[in-house]
Amino acid sequence: MSEAPHAKQQQTGKSATKSSIPAQKMEEPFPSPDLLEITKWHIDRYDRLRSSTSVRASVLLSANAVLASGSLILVNYHLQTSKDSRTLWIELVFSALAVLTLSLILRSLWSSINAIAARKTTRVLHSTEIPSRFLFNWGDTLKSVDGHSDFARKIKDLSLESILGHATAELWTDILQHSQRHRHLRSAINTFRYCVMALLGLAAFTFAAALR
């Protein structure tokens, strides 16, 4: 008689444990039309980000051009003021500072140019990772068709799933391109900071040497 209540208690405990665990429902995937709209939205977003990166890199190019002009003016000023009496250690230090400043400026200029238009395309760097981007990329589209009639025929034969696949490949390309250009932009900005400090050091040494 004493075993029956104990058995019922165990069954009650098991049922309570089972009922306390929430049922896990599998989330339904997005339908293809919604996924295509989301992909298109992100493609437009990364296009805007790349445009913003190019604009900032262009501004940095102009700033580096100003620093380069300032460096050349300082070099010319030093040559004009020290042509009568030149000291070896002063000339060595000035030359080192001038070369360092101009080298940093050229490095920042090169990174800025790569942020606008990289020397190597994404297709070259990631040739095995990017499938065809027909209709979303002019290069892949021209490679896939032979004239207008072939282009029109392939457009008619496209399914929603294939369009989504091409759009996904284009989005992945945009992500890689933005990452590459943003990396070059950050490198240009960091180098530009050193350019400013080097130019200030060159200017201070140039004027100190002129007053000596």
Side-chain angles (χ1 to χ4, degrees), residues 96-111:
L97 286 174
V99 170
L100 175 63
T101 304
L102 291 173
S103 298
L104 289 173
I105 292 173
L106 289 176
R107 178 70 180 87
S108 183
L109 282 170
W110 184 255
S111 296

Side-chain angles (χ1 to χ4, degrees), residues 33-91:
D34 293 342
L35 279 177
L36 184 59
E37 288 299 321
I38 293 173
T39 304
K40 287 166 57 180
W41 183 87
H42 280 288
I43 290 175
D44 292 338
R45 174 176 175 267
Y46 277 103
D47 284 341
R48 291 192 296 270
L49 287 174
R50 283 184 298 169
S51 298
S52 174
T53 301
S54 298
V55 169
R56 286 184 287 172
S58 300
V59 173
L60 199 58
L61 274 174
S62 301
N64 276 297
V66 173
L67 292 187
S69 300
S71 300
L72 294 177
I73 291 173
L74 289 174
V75 170
N76 182 64
Y77 177 79
H78 176 75
L79 294 176
Q80 294 295 327
T81 56
S82 64
K83 60 182 179 181
D84 296 331
S85 57
R86 293 184 176 178
T87 307
L88 179 60
W89 73 268
I90 292 179
E91 297 302 317

Side-chain angles (χ1 to χ4, degrees), residues 113-177:
I113 293 172
N114 283 331
I116 297 174
R119 185 170 56 90
K120 292 184 178 181
T121 62
T122 309
R123 173 67 77 180
V124 173
L125 295 175
H126 306 276
S127 57
T128 60
E129 299 180 19
I130 303 175
S132 175
R133 299 162 293 173
F134 178 74
L135 194 63
F136 289 87
N137 179 269
W138 66 269
D140 289 352
T141 302
L142 292 177
K143 288 178 183 179
S144 303
V145 299
D146 185 18
H148 175 266
S149 58
D150 189 26
F151 175 73
R153 181 182 58 81
K154 288 196 173 185
I155 289 292
K156 292 179 181 179
D157 293 340
L158 284 175
S159 63
L160 184 59
E161 293 299 328
S162 61
I163 294 175
L164 180 59
H166 298 318
T168 304
E170 177 64 17
L171 176 58
W172 176 240
T173 306
D174 289 346
I175 293 172
L176 292 176
Q177 286 181 351

